[in-house]
Amino acid sequence: MAASKQVPVYCWISIVLMSLAISIDGKEDDGHHQNNYDSIFENIHGDVAYDFVEESMSWAEAQKSCEDRGGHLLRDLNDEVKEFLRTLSTGPGRWWVNPDSMSGDPMRGSDLNFPRHLVCTYLDTEPFRLVTTPNCTMSFGSLCTLDTNIHLKSSEGKHRHRRSINTITGLGAVSTLPVLLENVRLILKDLETTVDVLTKDNRLLYLRGIYNVVKLTLPIPVDMASAVMNSTSAMLLYTQECGLDNMEDFEELITLAGLIYAAVKDGPVTQEMPTGTLFVDRKTPQQLGGSEVGSSNGTYCHLPSFSALSGQLPSGKVNVQLFQFKVNPMEDKSNESITGTTCSFSLQDENTNIKLKGLSENIEIFLPRTGASEPEVVSIDWKSGYSVTSSFNTTDVNMTVIVTVSPNKNVTLAFQLFPSTSNGTNQNATASATIGLKEGYRWLITPEMRKGGYSSWKVAIIPINYTSSNQLTVKVSVFVTKCLFWDTDLEQWSRDGCMVGPKTTPSLTHCLCNHTTFFGSSFFVMPNQVDLSQTAALFATVNENYIVVVLLSCFFAVFLVVLAWAWYADRKALRTRKMTLLDDNHPCAEYNYLITFQTGHRRNAGTSAKVKAILYFEEGKSDTYNLSDADKPVFERGGVDVFLLSIPFSLGTLESIEIWHDNSSGDPDWYLNRLTVQDLQTQEITHFLCSTWLRGETCKRTFNSAKNNEIASFGDIFQTRTSSGFRDEHIWVSVVDPPRRSPFTRVQRVACCMSLLLCTMAINIMFWNLPTDEESPVLLKIGSFALTWQELMVAVESGLFMFPINILIITIFRHIKPRLIDNKEESNIIKNKAVIPASVSMNTIIQEIMDLLVCLSKNPKNMLGKDLGSESNGDLFWALNKVHDLIERMTVEIVGDPHWSYCSRFVFYSLSHVSRLLDHVGEKGCFLNEELRQARGTLGVLLKKAELASLRHAAQTTVIVQEPQKKKGWWLPWWFLFVGWALLFFMSGISTFFTLLYGFQYGRESSIQWVITLTLSLVQSIFLLQPLKVILVAIFFAMILRPVGVDENEEVELLLKEQKKRCQEYSGRSTS
């Protein structure tokens, strides 16, 4: 954009601004002698420079030499150019020119019949003529031309640009005005003849250099004042013509220019420039109240009273300035059609801008609308009982519509606004007003009044209490206008805090604003800029600046080592994650509990002994269960072991649990932290807060279930949350000892740590060593500590850049559903097909029936008594009769009791197992064949009755254990694992790239300083901020007394399927 506007920049500076040099003599040492460019700039005619190169060469060599210097051989030769070249000729000579110069020229020295592309042309100066020749290898001089309005030779332009920058940088050391003006003349001369555009910082240095010398030289001599002001105007013009990146940068330049103008000329200053008019004045705060700035014939501002301004003004004098633009400077970026005048209004003290906001009285800004046409005026005679109606259309939501009425009588008028589709009743009016002569019969319809999204509206005008017999005639006119300011946060025009004022006319807009408009303070803090187009050049400096490369290489080396260890640790821990289906579960038991043991993290907290447990319920106790797993070690230090325990039916509320071990092996002592028992049917969880050593004589303990106040106690929740927080939520510490049952593996945690580290490095280096914004307000101050708006925004933006994507990656890894593969070959059992048992004796049959009765007797509802062994005396039929009585009782019990559902199924599957055993009793059994046949017949009858009873209760009772458990939280499909890794690699790659890019741009010394800063930042984050976050979260949950929930796992369903499989194998019946 800047390059496309370079030609008019040359023209403006040449015609308007270079007059400042008339008061100073000096010769430009342009540094071009080594390239023989002096003559180019001496022999200029119009916009073309001419150079007679005396070095003899062929035509092709001359053409190439001229093109390498950014020009071409002479092409255009008209009468005016001929006269100019004759004046430059110093004698006879021959000079190569372009063959195109022969086109249409009658001045020819030969007429050879050769094709045009095979001949060359030279200029013979005595006599003055053009000659064509087929011998292009002859050695002549050459006439080279350069179009100064297009470009200079690349190296020459860059040389001039570098020289102008060096001169600008040196302005800070200048202390006298003549030397300053000489340097300024050289800078503007270079800017006139180069296409490279000065940066914003160099433009500010230019104006600051002028301002500093002006302050030292006050009062300014009259003969130099004009030169100083022209030098200042030149930079403003250069900036606007070369393109504006944003209006805030231009406002800084205007501010400095205003300070220079006010210092040079004591009193109000009006500086006319091709791009606009700048009004500058310097006043005390008291003088500023109620004053006007600008021209009453053009744009001007009327400030509110001193009382409204005093709270936001300094005690000393204030520079007040208004810049009226001739053309909207933001037209290319504008979201609005701005047809009127645009202006910039600002206040400054000695060093900073003063931003007015939230004023109790509005600033009045008057903007002329040059060339605006007068609105159409319609004359209407009012009839009693009717209203005068005027319609208008507007789709611009920012427009204010001004309705002006001129009655021929002094009356009060009622105005009402309706959508065009309305029937015009009072109830449909969106706004109304009563206006008289005092208000000028003008009604301003603001955007807020036009509700409902309509574009077509009508205004009804009715006289109030007009009873005169004289005809009332009203003249109605309607026009629209709007007051906007440029919002630098949104990069668009906005009307927040501004509105159209009552003094608005078709040719003048009256704006009321409660803040200084057109430019606002920046909301976002931009990071340091890096030129992506220079990526290859920056990476090529790796030999000189290898600091960041070495740092990243060290981090990646450590990452690979830790990643290998994490992979090995994950493989080792994988076998300890499996849930255990207890071998002591009765195969036909279907009432399931999930028991979770948490071994403490104390030294030697794990045990090598064999652990056993008994559960005590409200209605009885369970059998003794051996808590072991043949496939993995259990009760290791810091471990979480989960067992699926099954009993035939519910025994009521769980009250306590007895746990002991046999003190076997070398390290039997065991520190049990806590355990939970979850009823998988009701989802009720019972907590046991143990925190006890089981060793020596105290290796057997009974733990009562925790009460609600114990579970929700501050100490317990804080301890649990802190422990789980450091082991799971502290991403760095969790790598060493993550939760055993978390799907978030060590390898994934290490990779996330690396991604966070790389993101931290990238964001840290982007915002490192940002220039301090002196205007940034202080939000919080405690002693010597002060938090500014700039620092807060850097923190917020850093968090927005880093945390969302990394939190997303971690969340994906935490919530990936484990991919559990069920062995279908083992689980798909053919219906009613089971393992054929070996030959058994009748004693085995009797023992099976007695074991069944003992299990059934544990619940008082079954009414079987306690001492069954002494009653039976080994009588099989007595035992079968007991079972028969229970089955009969089941058939008459009310349907809907879950106990009878579980109990009937347990009896049916157990009898099915006994029936299969009875079929395989050998002839050597102690019973006679007749008795054996009677036993089989009796058992067959019991089986049929038991099956009917189980079907009766199961049909109308929901067996919750058979239904899939209701999941808490949410899970992602297993293939989201690839999504998480893809995001992680992407973020790591982008962060690494920008870290290297910024490091190469900063240079070696700055990179070393950044590494030191980064190290302190990482130490602070890992060892202070993250532990503090974990502790604060733990305190929060403890304060609201929210206990830690029990994690559920998809693996429970597989254990339930395994228990069903056992039942099928045991009973030979399908459990589906």
Side-chain angles (χ1 to χ4, degrees):
M1 181 176 179
S4 67
K5 293 192 176 182
Q6 197 64 42
V7 174
V9 172
Y10 296 152
C11 187
W12 281 120
I13 294 179
S14 300
I15 296 175
V16 181
L17 303 175
M18 289 306 296
S19 60
L20 65 93
I22 60 175
S23 61
I24 303 171
D25 293 328
K27 184 176 180 180
E28 178 187 5
D29 180 15
D30 55 17
H32 300 151
H33 298 290
Q34 60 181 352
N35 292 323
N36 196 27
Y37 268 91
D38 292 355
S39 59
I40 292 180
F41 300 105
E42 292 174 359
N43 305 327
I44 298 178
H45 178 71
D47 294 329
V48 181
Y50 298 84
D51 183 19
F52 286 89
V53 181
E54 297 182 357
E55 181 182 356
S56 296
M57 59 188 78
S58 66
W59 184 91
E61 292 172 338
Q63 173 76 353
K64 185 176 184 302
S65 174
C66 193
E67 290 178 350
D68 288 345
R69 297 164 65 187
H72 52 77
L73 294 178
L74 174 69
R75 291 177 181 169
D76 301 319
L77 189 61
N78 53 34
D79 293 339
E80 188 177 347
V81 174
K82 291 175 189 175
E83 292 301 322
F84 176 71
L85 293 178
R86 282 194 177 98
T87 62
L88 297 179
S89 177
T90 58
R94 295 179 176 179
W95 314 89
W96 288 118
V97 296
N98 198 294
D100 292 342
S101 61
M102 294 290 293
S103 302
D105 196 311
M107 185 187 66
R108 310 176 69 146
S110 61
D111 191 11
L112 301 174
N113 295 321
F114 285 97
R116 185 177 175 185
H117 65 279
L118 297 179
V119 299
C120 299
T121 306
Y122 64 87
L123 173 67
D124 191 348
T125 58
E126 197 170 304
F128 202 88
R129 60 176 181 169
L130 291 174
V131 182
T132 59
T133 176
N135 187 5
C136 298
T137 59
M138 292 188 295
S139 295
F140 296 146
S142 56
L143 180 50
C144 190
T145 63
L146 181 72
D147 190 343
T148 59
N149 270 344
I150 299 177
H151 59 278
L152 291 173
K153 181 173 177 287
S154 175
S155 60
E156 175 63 18
K158 292 184 181 298
H159 171 77
R160 287 174 176 264
H161 183 65
R162 287 194 300 271
R163 186 178 62 181
S164 64
I165 292 177
N166 292 336
T167 308
I168 290 173
T169 305
L171 290 181
V174 176
S175 58
T176 61
L177 195 57
V179 176
L180 170 76
L181 293 177
E182 170 64 16
N183 287 335
V184 166
R185 186 185 69 82
L186 293 176
I187 292 170
L188 294 177
K189 181 66 177 177
D190 284 341
L191 292 180
E192 182 189 7
T193 52
T194 180
V195 296
D196 291 318
V197 180
L198 287 179
T199 64
K200 166 204 166 185
D201 292 338
N202 285 326
R203 300 176 200 183
L204 290 173
L205 281 175
Y206 174 94
L207 293 179
R208 287 196 188 103
I210 296 177
Y211 181 54
N212 291 335
V213 175
V214 166
K215 288 194 299 183
L216 295 174
T217 316
L218 292 176
I220 303 298
V222 177
D223 59 337
M224 293 186 179
S226 177
V228 172
M229 298 182 75
N230 282 340
S231 302
T232 304
S233 301
M235 187 53 64
L236 296 181
L237 174 62
Y238 175 83
T239 298
Q240 191 166 354
E241 289 299 326
C242 287
L244 300 173
D245 291 334
N246 59 71
M247 289 306 303
E248 189 173 13
D249 293 346
F250 192 53
E251 184 187 16
E252 291 187 60
L253 297 174
I254 293 176
T255 299
L256 274 173
L259 293 173
I260 295 170
Y261 294 148
V264 171
K265 186 177 180 181
D266 189 18
V269 177
T270 301
Q271 184 71 15
E272 293 285 348
M273 290 182 286
T275 56
T277 305
L278 180 63
F279 303 95
V280 182
D281 201 357
R282 187 168 179 82
K283 298 176 180 289
T284 64
Q286 291 78 8
Q287 294 171 336
L288 199 61
S291 64
E292 289 186 355
V293 181
S295 170
S296 58
N297 298 324
T299 302
Y300 68 99
C301 290
H302 182 84
L303 295 173
S305 64
F306 172 70
S307 60
L309 295 172
S310 59
Q312 302 186 41
L313 294 178
S315 56
K317 282 193 172 184
V318 176
N319 266 30
V320 54
Q321 64 183 40
L322 175 72
F323 192 92
Q324 176 185 335
F325 295 91
K326 291 186 177 179
V327 180
N328 176 15
M330 303 308 293
E331 185 175 2
D332 294 341
K333 300 181 180 180
S334 178
N335 60 311
E336 294 280 349
S337 174
I338 306 297
T339 58
T341 306
T342 54
C343 73
S344 167
F345 175 72
S346 58
L347 303 173
Q348 307 89 29
D349 60 8
E350 189 66 24
N351 299 311
T352 60
N353 278 349
I354 301 170
K355 299 295 184 181
L356 303 179
K357 55 184 178 180
L359 296 173
S360 58
E361 300 177 22
N362 287 318
I363 301 172
E364 296 184 68
I365 305 170
F366 295 87
L367 302 171
R369 303 175 69 189
T370 306
S373 59
E374 289 293 328
E376 180 184 1
V377 178
V378 179
S379 180
I380 304 174
D381 292 334
W382 175 71
K383 294 181 180 181
S384 179
Y386 292 89
S387 63
V388 175
T389 303
S390 179
S391 300
F392 64 89
N393 294 306
T394 179
T395 57
D396 191 336
V397 296
N398 290 322
M399 280 292 185
T400 294
V401 181
I402 302 176
V403 181
T404 304
V405 179
S406 299
N408 62 346
K409 305 294 181 181
N410 185 5
V411 296
T412 302
L413 302 177
F415 289 74
Q416 290 183 321
L417 177 66
F418 303 93
S420 291
T421 56
S422 170
N423 58 12
T425 62
N426 291 338
Q427 291 78 5
N428 295 329
T430 60
S432 61
T434 301
I435 300 174
L437 180 62
K438 183 179 179 180
E439 293 81 15
Y441 295 111
R442 294 161 54 82
W443 190 30
L444 275 62
I445 304 174
T446 64
E448 289 76 16
M449 296 180 184
R450 305 192 302 272
K451 302 174 182 177
Y454 299 100
S455 59
S456 298
W457 298 85
K458 59 185 179 182
V459 178
I461 306 167
I462 305 174
I464 298 177
N465 299 326
Y466 183 75
T467 59
S468 174
S469 59
N470 295 329
Q471 177 64 49
L472 177 63
T473 302
V474 295
K475 295 180 179 180
V476 182
S477 64
V478 179
F479 68 94
V480 295
T481 188
K482 55 186 173 183
C483 289
L484 304 171
F485 75 98
W486 184 258
D487 191 324
T488 55
D489 299 343
L490 302 176
E491 286 292 317
Q492 64 184 21
W493 293 99
S494 172
R495 64 182 183 88
D496 292 343
C498 289
M499 60 182 177
V500 175
K503 299 176 184 178
T504 297
T505 66
S507 59
L508 181 70
T509 300
H510 177 215
C511 294
L512 301 176
C513 295
N514 61 7
H515 54 80
T516 48
T517 58
F518 199 84
F519 308 122
S521 59
S522 178
F523 181 79
F524 285 106
V525 179
M526 294 304 295
N528 293 313
Q529 301 297 309
V530 63
D531 189 358
L532 291 177
S533 64
Q534 299 296 318
T535 299
L538 291 174
F539 273 82
T541 63
V542 64
N543 293 330
E544 294 80 21
N545 181 20
Y546 50 80
I547 301 300
V548 177
V549 177
V550 171
L551 178 66
L552 284 170
S553 300
C554 293
F555 279 143
F556 275 107
V558 173
F559 166 68
L560 293 176
V561 172
V562 177
L563 191 69
W565 166 83
W567 178 82
Y568 172 77
D570 281 339
R571 291 290 300 272
K572 183 178 178 181
L574 185 61
R575 61 192 181 96
T576 65
R577 291 186 60 221
K578 183 177 76 71
M579 290 183 177
T580 302
L581 179 63
L582 292 176
D583 292 334
D584 291 340
N585 289 342
H586 193 288
C588 300
E590 291 187 337
Y591 202 92
N592 302 288
Y593 291 91
L594 199 66
I595 307 180
T596 303
F597 290 85
Q598 295 183 19
T599 302
H601 286 78
R602 298 189 181 187
R603 185 178 180 182
N604 298 323
T607 181
S608 58
K610 296 178 181 179
V611 179
K612 298 182 180 182
I614 297 176
L615 278 64
Y616 290 89
F617 299 89
E618 183 181 12
E619 298 174 355
K621 68 175 183 177
S622 69
D623 293 330
T624 300
Y625 290 90
N626 292 291
L627 304 176
S628 61
D629 192 323
D631 298 330
K632 70 179 182 76
V634 293
F635 307 122
E636 293 183 321
R637 176 177 175 267
V640 177
D641 299 282
V642 183
F643 301 92
L644 183 68
L645 183 148
S646 302
I647 60 177
F649 35 73
S650 174
L651 295 175
T653 304
L654 178 61
E655 295 179 340
S656 62
I657 183 170
E658 185 179 14
I659 302 175
W660 72 95
H661 62 74
D662 60 1
N663 272 319
S664 60
S665 300
D667 191 12
D669 295 348
W670 180 31
Y671 184 80
L672 177 60
N673 185 23
R674 63 191 301 147
L675 67 94
T676 58
V677 180
Q678 182 179 10
D679 187 329
L680 294 180
Q681 289 62 227
T682 64
Q683 304 301 314
E684 182 180 353
I685 299 172
T686 305
H687 295 263
F688 296 88
L689 307 179
C690 307
S691 301
T692 303
W693 282 99
L694 276 73
R695 56 186 172 189
E697 296 180 356
T698 59
C699 66
K700 186 173 185 179
R701 296 290 299 269
T702 299
F703 301 100
N704 296 321
S705 61
K707 298 180 176 60
N708 289 335
N709 61 338
E710 294 177 317
I711 300 171
S713 67
F714 179 89
D716 179 69
I717 296 176
F718 178 76
Q719 186 272 333
T720 304
R721 281 285 174 182
T722 305
S723 175
S724 63
F726 277 105
R727 297 179 61 233
D728 193 17
E729 297 171 13
H730 192 299
I731 191 67
W732 301 90
V733 175
S734 67
V735 171
V736 180
D737 187 21
R740 296 292 178 93
R741 308 208 58 78
S742 173
F744 194 13
T745 65
R746 283 185 176 88
V747 169
Q748 294 166 354
R749 291 173 189 268
V750 171
C752 287
C753 286
M754 189 63 182
S755 176
L756 277 172
L757 176 61
L758 294 173
C759 285
T760 301
M761 293 174 67
I763 293 170
N764 190 289
I765 202 170
M766 286 168 62
F767 288 99
W768 181 71
N769 209 21
L770 276 177
T772 303
D773 185 0
E774 300 296 339
E775 298 182 23
S776 182
V778 176
L779 303 179
L780 177 65
K781 189 170 185 179
I782 303 176
S784 60
F785 170 78
L787 176 65
T788 66
W789 179 258
Q790 181 188 31
E791 293 168 340
L792 176 63
M793 288 312 302
V794 168
V796 171
E797 291 170 33
S798 300
L800 291 176
F801 288 152
M802 179 172 67
F803 289 116
I805 185 66
N806 283 285
I807 290 176
L808 175 62
I809 295 171
I810 293 174
T811 302
I812 288 175
F813 285 140
R814 286 187 191 276
H815 292 85
I816 291 177
K817 187 177 183 179
R819 192 182 183 188
L820 301 174
I821 302 176
D822 192 9
N823 193 334
K824 295 184 178 180
E825 293 184 358
E826 295 182 2
S827 61
N828 292 336
I829 303 173
I830 300 177
K831 191 173 183 179
N832 292 329
K833 182 176 179 181
V835 178
I836 303 300
S839 179
V840 294
S841 66
M842 288 302 298
N843 289 333
T844 303
I845 301 296
I846 295 173
Q847 185 60 47
E848 288 287 341
I849 295 295
M850 293 306 301
D851 290 344
L852 173 60
L853 289 174
V854 171
C855 287
L856 293 172
S857 66
K858 290 183 179 293
N859 195 309
K861 289 184 178 181
N862 295 332
M863 301 175 63
L864 291 178
K866 296 293 184 182
D867 193 10
L868 294 175
S870 60
E871 296 181 20
S872 66
N873 294 320
D875 188 346
L876 174 62
F877 294 101
W878 178 89
L880 291 176
N881 286 333
K882 282 285 186 181
V883 175
H884 179 266
D885 292 341
L886 178 59
I887 295 174
E888 290 293 331
R889 192 174 303 114
M890 291 179 187
T891 59
V892 299
E893 287 291 342
I894 299 175
V895 173
D897 189 343
H899 168 75
W900 296 113
S901 175
Y902 288 104
C903 186
S904 61
R905 292 169 66 86
F906 176 70
V907 170
F908 172 66
Y909 291 133
S910 297
L911 290 178
S912 297
H913 172 68
V914 174
S915 175
R916 292 173 60 240
L917 293 178
L918 196 58
D919 290 340
H920 293 83
V921 172
E923 292 297 331
K924 294 182 180 181
C926 60
F927 282 0
L928 298 176
N929 291 339
E930 183 64 28
E931 293 175 329
L932 180 59
R933 285 194 296 271
Q934 183 182 355
R936 287 173 178 171
T938 303
L939 193 57
V941 172
L942 292 178
L943 268 176
K944 291 181 180 180
K945 291 186 176 182
E947 184 175 13
L948 291 174
S950 65
L951 292 175
R952 177 173 179 267
H953 286 281
Q956 301 184 42
T957 304
T958 302
V959 185
I960 303 175
V961 70
Q962 302 298 336
E963 300 295 330
Q965 297 181 34
K966 183 179 179 181
K967 299 294 184 296
K968 296 180 181 178
W970 54 277
W971 292 97
L972 294 171
W974 65 268
W975 50 264
F976 254 83
L977 182 71
F978 301 109
V979 177
W981 281 110
L983 290 173
L984 193 144
F985 283 129
F986 173 77
M987 280 301 299
S988 300
I990 291 294
S991 301
T992 303
F993 171 76
F994 278 102
T995 301
L996 289 172
L997 201 62
Y998 275 96
F1000 291 141
Q1001 178 172 278
Y1002 287 167
R1004 188 171 182 273
E1005 297 301 325
S1006 295
S1007 296
I1008 293 175
Q1009 298 176 13
W1010 169 74
V1011 169
I1012 297 173
T1013 305
L1014 174 70
T1015 303
L1016 296 175
S1017 176
L1018 289 177
V1019 170
Q1020 174 185 344
S1021 174
I1022 297 172
F1023 298 104
L1024 179 62
L1025 297 182
Q1026 288 209 36
L1028 183 62
K1029 180 199 73 172
V1030 171
I1031 293 173
L1032 291 177
V1033 169
I1035 293 175
F1036 171 75
F1037 278 99
M1039 291 293 290
I1040 65 174
L1041 303 179
R1042 180 177 173 182
V1044 182
V1046 175
D1047 294 333
E1048 296 184 8
N1049 196 289
E1050 186 77 8
E1051 194 176 351
V1052 174
E1053 294 184 5
L1054 292 184
L1055 293 183
L1056 294 176
K1057 290 180 181 179
E1058 181 65 23
Q1059 179 68 10
K1060 287 184 179 181
K1061 177 184 171 183
R1062 287 187 182 182
C1063 185
Q1064 286 182 254
E1065 293 176 343
Y1066 183 78
S1067 64
R1069 301 274 184 171
S1070 173
T1071 58
S1072 59

